[in-house]
Every structure is written in structure tokens, then in C-alpha cells.
């Protein structure tokens, strides 16, 4: 695989070598809650955050984290969200949103296909989109209900980039990621501002003059680039590409790239051979910056951002990413010309599905299962509000853990209240729900999960006074 020039260039994108990174740890501060299966979070250039829900709605959180009751956009009737990876998947505000009011979304339509559409905000209400303004931009047929990608962003060049998964099913049986005539398993790049209807192919796209290639392709060989981002300072592209059975990877592309990179799937999973039938030599493919294995509960990479905010100086220039199943957070940085990764946060919870930036480039994290948005923070810097780091608070304990489906939940409460216990599997499906009376002090609840399959689960405790606690449970 191409490792020398591409890898070195990618590493140099990160900030200076920082020995203090070895001492750095992160925390999560609860910012906003009350969302149903949120998948993404974006800003439009002001102090609002826009929370994308899987069901086809987008809600606004104001600068204090308060969720507005009326959704900004509600297109539930147009969105198929039955499959585990279907729904309203991504949102991108036009670079000229303040003047033209345009924004773009990526969703799975009622036919099961990817739909990229443009909408417009209402002229008389900045907190409400016009559902009748939909303009279809691009539709891509999906052969299966998973690996749909979903992240869309405008690049520093003003073009719209679209991350497309390989179309789904194990092992990419259609080999679409290496199929030049398919848009699946690719990063696409289109011009939605040229006046062409519905879009124009940028003249410097890498395969414009290549026979047999879709002209929209910017790069190929991706399995499922679920979440990816541009560095707000250096303009570099960072991709979290979800792996198959063993390896997750982070890919990086320098801002000066001319595109045309092939990241190797399905020939390779991370650095490792996967299915090399009809593949070229390793030198034809670009290796990841880093990979990590399916150990310690890892299963699916969630790509993040290079931190470019100002609140936490020790975080500046580091690329943050997480894993959906383990809930582990890493910081990627360079030490000389070598990539270094450090676990900076590992809480009791999992199912973080997306990172997001506010207009000041501070980082936030979206949790799919508990419907909460958290601020990512430096654990060594005092809080600026009364919330506590989720990793440092816990009056919830589960034993035995791992379990075979029979376990005890210990909950220490400061008040007497009605307590709700809910348990979700790793795909977000509710498998247990019960309300129980709770006394001040130690409470013990014996629980048996019916027809339980092996894997990771999320146990939630909440009461009517507003406290929310979560703990991860493994069934083996």
C-alpha cells in the first residue's frame, strides 16, 4: 500500500508533536437532551445547534442547550427508517445559508434509496424550514438496507462532498467500492452552485476524463464512511471508515490532494488482506493513518474532527474519534513523523454516533440511545457550568457484568422517587422497560432479560427529578 508520501503528509496535517498529550484526558459535559435516536449535529453559523433524528426530524437546541419544541424540519412521511442504518442520516448547511437559506440533507427515501435534497428555511421564521421547498439533487439506488453512508459536507472549495457506503451486506458481494461505474463505496464531489440543474460536475474532479468512471467520484475503495470531516484550519479531509469483522480505520487526505485516491476496500480491511481477488498490487491503494481491532468491545469507528476551538488549548490540533460499541474516545496526534493515539475517555456508556462542531469550533458528541448531546472537554480544565463530567459521576452499578442475562442493578439515590429502568441493545432497540419505586440510599433491582442474545447493552436509570445515569452491560 502507499504508505510513505500519503501517510507522512497526513501526519503533518496534525499539530506539532506534543509530549503533554500523554497526560491529557477528556470528559463529557451534558449539553442538551430529549432527542429520539439522534444521528447528527450541525451548526448554521450562529449559536444554535441542529440535531438530526433518524425518524426524519431536525430539532434546534439554543445556546443554553434547550431543545425547541417545534422541529426545524419534519419529513417523517418521506423517510424510511425501518432498517438499522436507514433514516435521515446527514445535514449540511450551504456556505451562503445566511443569505440564501439553503440546506442539504441525506436520507433514505420510501423506496429504500439514498436521496440528497435541498430545502430552504422559511423567510419569516429562522427556526422553521419550508417542507414544500424540497429540490431533488441526487438519488443513489441501495441494494441493501445498511452501509448507506450519510455524512455530507461542503468542502473548503465550496463543493458538496457526499460519503457513500458500499451498499451493504457482508463483504460487499457486488464489489461496488471498486466498481468505477457505481457511486457506492465512494466519496462524491458535486457543484450545486453553478446553475446546472440539479448539479454540475466540477471540472477538476479526478475521473472527469476517464472512460468507465462515474464523473462524480472524488475517491473510492470505502466500505462505510459513516462520519468524516474537514479540518477547519488546514482544510484536510479525515474519514472514519467502518470496517468489516476485524479492523476499523481512519483515513486522511491532505488539502492539496487532487482526489482519485483508492482506500482499498474490499481488497483490504485496514492494513490487512480481505478479498484480493482481481485486485492490483498493494502500491495501488492508500493505507489508513491508523487502524484498531475489534478488541475490548470495539466494533464500529465513529469519525470525528480535528479540534479547532479555543476553550481547551491542550485539545487543539488533535483528531478525536470514538467507537460505537465500546464508547472509547481516542485522540490522534503526531510524535515526530509517527502517528500516536491515546485513549482520552472511556466511560460506562456507548452508542456515540456522531461528533459535531458549533460555530466557535467547540466539539460535541451525539449519543443515539439516550438522546443526549455532550460537549467534549479537557478533563483538566474547570467546568464553566454546573454539569458534571459523565465519566466522573456514578451511583449505578451492575453485577455480574458480564452476565448471562440475569443480573442485579444497584442504584444509590439521593431522593425518594419513581425510577424508570430501560435497557437497549447495541442497535438501539428497547429490550426491557419497567418503573420501580426508589428510596433514598441503596436500591437493588434483580433483572432477567428475555431471549437475550450475546453482545453489549445499555442500562438507563432515570427518575422524575431529572437525574439520568447509564451503564454498559455485556451479555455472554
Amino acid at each position: 500500500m502507499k504508505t510513505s508520501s500519503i501517510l507522512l503528509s497526513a501526519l503533518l496535517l496534525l499539530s506539532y508533536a506534543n509530549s503533554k498529550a500523554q497526560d491529557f484526558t477528556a470528559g463529557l459535559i451534558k449539553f442538551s437532551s430529549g432527542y429520539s435516536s439522534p444521528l447528527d449535529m450541525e451548526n448554521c453559523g450562529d449559536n444554535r445547534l441542529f440535531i438530526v433524528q433518524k425518524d426524519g426530524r431536525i430539532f434546534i437546541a439554543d445556546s443554553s442547550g434547550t431543545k425547541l419544541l417545534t422541529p426545524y424540519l419534519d419529513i417523517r412521511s418521506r423517510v424510511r427508517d425501518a432498517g438499522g442504518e436507514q433514516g435521515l442520516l446527514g445535514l449540511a448547511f450551504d456556505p451562503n445559508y445566511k443569505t440564501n437559506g439553503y440546506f442539504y440533507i441525506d436520507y433514505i427515501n420510501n423506496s429504500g434509496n439514498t436521496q440528497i435534497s435541498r430545502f430552504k428555511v422559511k423567510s419569516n421564521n429562522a427556526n422553521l424550514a419550508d417542507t414544500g421547498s424540497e429540490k431533488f439533487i441526487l438519488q443513489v439506488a441501495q441494494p441493501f438496507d445498511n452501509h448507506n453512508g450519510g455524512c455530507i459536507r461542503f468542502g473548503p472549495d465550496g463543493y458538496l462532498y457526499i460519503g457513500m457506503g458500499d451498499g451493504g451486506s457482508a463483504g460487499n458481494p457486488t464489489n461496488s467500492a471498486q466498481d468505477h461505474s457505481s457511486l457506492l463505496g465512494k466519496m462524491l464531489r458535486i457543484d450545486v452552485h453553478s446553475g446546472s440543474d440539479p448539479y454540475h460536475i466540477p471540472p477538476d474532479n479526478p475521473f472527469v476524463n476517464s472512460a468507465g468512471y462515474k464523473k462524480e467520484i472524488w475517491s473510492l475503495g470505502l466500505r462505510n464512511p459513516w462520519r468524516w470531516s474537514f479540518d477547519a484550519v488546514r482544510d484536510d479531509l479525515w474519514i472514519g471508515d467502518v470496517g468489516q469483522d476485524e479492523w476499523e480505520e481512519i483515513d486522511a487526505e491532505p488539502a492539496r490532494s487532487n482526489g482519485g485516491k483508492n482506500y482499498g476496500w474490499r481488497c483490504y480491511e485496514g492494513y490487512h488482506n480481505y478479498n484480493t481477488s482481481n485486485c492490483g498490487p498493494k502500491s495501488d491503494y492508500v493505507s489508513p493513518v491508523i487502524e484498531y481491532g475489534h478488541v475490548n468491545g470495539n466494533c464500529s469507528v465513529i469519525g470525528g474532527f480535528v479540534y479547532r476551538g479555543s476553550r481547551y488549548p491542550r485539545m487543539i490540533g488533535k483528531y478525536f474519534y470514538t467507537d460505537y460499541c465500546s464508547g472509547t474516545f481516542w485522540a490522534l496526534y503526531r510524535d515526530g513523523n509517527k502517528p500516536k493515539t491515546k485513549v482520552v475517555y472511556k466511560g460506562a456508556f456507548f452508542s456515540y454516533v456522531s461528533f459535531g462542531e458549533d460555530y466557535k469550533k467547540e466539539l460535541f458528541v451525539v449519543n443515539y440511545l439516550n438522546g443526549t448531546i455532550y460537549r467534549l472537554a479537557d478533563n483538566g480544565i474547570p467546568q464553566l457550568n454546573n454539569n458534571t463530567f459523565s465519566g466522573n459521576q456514578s451511583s449505578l452499578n451492575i453485577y455480574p457484568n458480564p452476565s448471562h442475562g440475569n443480573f442485579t442493578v444497584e442504584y444509590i439515590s439521593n431522593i425518594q422517587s419513581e425510577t424508570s429502568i430501560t435497557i437497549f441493545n447495541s442497535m438501539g432497540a428497547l429490550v426491557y422497560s419497567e418503573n420501580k419505586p426508589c428510596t433514598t440510599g441503596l436500591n437493588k433491582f434483580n433483572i432477567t432479560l428475555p431471549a437475550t442474545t450475546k453482545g453489549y447493552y445499555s442500562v438507563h436509570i432515570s427518575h422524575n427529578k431529572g437525574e439520568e445515569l447509564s451503564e454498559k452491560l455485556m451479555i455472554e
Side-chain angles (χ1 to χ4, degrees):
M1 291 178 131
K2 293 180 181 175
T3 57
S4 56
S5 61
I6 295 296
L7 180 56
L8 180 59
S9 296
L11 292 176
L12 293 177
L13 307 180
L14 296 167
S15 288
Y16 52 86
N18 186 355
S19 60
K20 290 184 178 180
Q22 298 301 324
D23 302 321
F24 170 78
T25 59
L28 300 181
I29 303 172
K30 183 178 178 181
F31 178 75
S32 185
S33 61
Y35 304 95
S36 176
S37 301
L39 292 178
D40 193 16
M41 187 221 86
E42 303 293 336
N43 79 84
C44 70
D46 59 30
N47 60 12
R48 296 174 295 171
L49 298 182
F50 293 75
I51 316 303
V52 177
Q53 291 191 169
K54 186 177 187 292
D55 64 4
R57 288 179 290 177
I58 299 174
F59 283 90
I60 295 175
D62 67 17
S63 59
S64 67
T66 300
K67 173 189 173 186
L68 303 192
L69 295 180
T70 302
Y72 173 73
L73 179 72
D74 186 348
I75 55 165
R76 282 175 288 180
S77 63
R78 309 175 203 182
V79 174
R80 176 185 289 184
D81 69 337
E85 298 179 24
Q86 295 182 324
L88 176 53
L89 305 178
L91 164 68
F93 287 96
D94 193 284
N96 299 312
Y97 178 75
K98 289 184 178 181
T99 56
N100 64 24
Y102 292 150
F103 65 95
Y104 297 76
I105 60 172
D106 182 321
Y107 69 95
I108 303 302
N109 64 22
N110 289 321
S111 297
N113 299 321
T114 290
Q115 178 64 57
I116 309 298
S117 287
R118 188 191 77 190
F119 284 82
K120 187 174 184 178
V121 68
K122 286 194 170 183
S123 58
N124 61 349
N125 189 338
N127 291 329
L128 194 63
D130 180 0
T131 56
S133 66
E134 182 171 15
K135 177 180 177 61
F136 297 132
I137 303 298
L138 174 66
Q139 187 175 130
V140 181
Q142 293 287 356
F144 303 99
D145 64 3
N146 59 344
H147 303 185
N148 297 310
C151 185
I152 56 175
R153 298 193 185 280
F154 282 92
D157 51 16
Y159 295 132
L160 182 63
Y161 289 71
I162 303 166
M164 292 298 305
D166 65 13
S169 193
N172 193 202
T174 62
N175 200 21
S176 58
Q178 295 297 325
D179 181 354
H180 305 156
S181 65
S182 171
L183 296 179
L184 298 172
K186 314 294 193 302
M187 186 68 70
L188 311 181
R189 180 180 184 246
I190 61 175
D191 180 358
V192 293
H193 295 132
S194 66
S196 299
D197 194 13
Y199 64 87
H200 179 69
I201 302 294
D204 59 346
N205 267 13
F207 302 112
V208 164
N209 299 313
S210 299
Y213 280 81
K214 288 285 188 180
K215 312 305 181 186
E216 294 90 344
I217 296 173
W218 175 254
S219 59
L220 63 157
L222 295 164
R223 183 177 179 274
N224 193 26
W226 164 245
R227 289 295 178 247
W228 51 271
S229 65
F230 290 98
D231 184 337
V233 171
R234 299 176 183 259
D235 295 339
D236 317 303
L237 175 61
W238 292 87
I239 304 171
D241 194 19
V242 179
Q244 180 64 46
D245 297 321
E246 298 185 54
W247 300 99
E248 305 297 310
E249 69 180 68
I250 299 292
D251 301 305
E253 191 168 313
R256 64 179 180 272
S257 170
N258 294 319
K261 304 292 187 293
N262 189 328
Y263 291 103
W265 175 253
R266 68 180 183 179
C267 300
Y268 299 94
E269 182 187 11
Y271 298 116
H272 309 270
N273 290 3
Y274 183 80
N275 182 348
T276 57
S277 176
N278 298 317
C279 295
K282 287 187 176 182
S283 59
D284 287 350
Y285 307 96
V286 177
S287 64
V289 175
I290 60 98
E291 66 170 15
Y292 67 88
H294 287 192
V295 296
N296 301 320
N298 297 324
C299 77
S300 181
V301 67
I302 306 298
F305 287 79
V306 176
Y307 177 74
R308 295 301 182 185
S310 59
R311 182 176 291 197
Y312 306 112
R314 294 194 299 178
M315 290 170 51
I316 293 174
K318 298 178 180 65
Y319 175 78
F320 291 90
Y321 61 101
T322 187
D323 185 273
Y324 178 82
C325 287
S326 70
T328 302
F329 285 73
W330 292 269
L332 172 63
Y333 59 100
R334 66 182 174 93
D335 186 358
N337 288 332
K338 295 182 179 180
K340 294 287 186 180
T341 60
K342 173 181 169 58
V343 173
V344 294
Y345 177 78
K346 187 171 176 60
F349 201 37
F350 65 104
S351 72
Y352 302 99
V353 290
S354 187
F355 289 78
E357 291 180 317
D358 67 7
Y359 77 112
K360 294 182 178 179
K361 306 306 178 186
E362 298 297 330
L363 286 186
F364 293 77
V365 186
V366 178
N367 192 286
Y368 177 76
L369 290 185
N370 70 5
T372 300
I373 312 302
Y374 299 90
R375 183 192 298 277
L376 185 68
D378 183 338
N379 205 24
I381 293 181
Q383 307 283 345
L384 299 181
N385 54 40
N386 294 324
N387 291 323
T388 56
F389 284 98
S390 59
N392 294 339
Q393 66 174 21
S394 179
S395 55
L396 176 62
N397 183 43
I398 301 173
Y399 65 89
N401 191 3
S403 158
H404 293 293
N406 301 297
F407 53 91
T408 298
V409 173
E410 279 189 351
Y411 173 46
I412 299 176
S413 177
N414 294 323
I415 62 172
Q416 181 173 327
S417 67
E418 181 79 5
T419 298
S420 172
I421 304 175
T422 52
I423 302 176
F424 299 85
N425 66 18
S426 62
M427 296 303 296
L430 181 67
V431 298
Y432 179 91
S433 178
E434 188 172 1
N435 292 327
K436 291 180 176 290
C438 172
T439 62
T440 302
L442 178 63
N443 299 267
K444 292 187 177 182
F445 309 116
N446 297 317
I447 296 177
T448 299
L449 293 184
T452 306
T453 58
K454 296 180 181 180
Y456 283 92
Y457 292 77
S458 175
V459 180
H460 298 256
I461 287 278
S462 63
H463 59 60
N464 54 13
K465 304 297 182 181
E467 183 174 58
E468 298 178 13
L469 294 172
S470 302
E471 182 68 67
K472 185 164 61 177
L473 168 68
M474 182 178 181
I475 303 295
E476 59 181 18

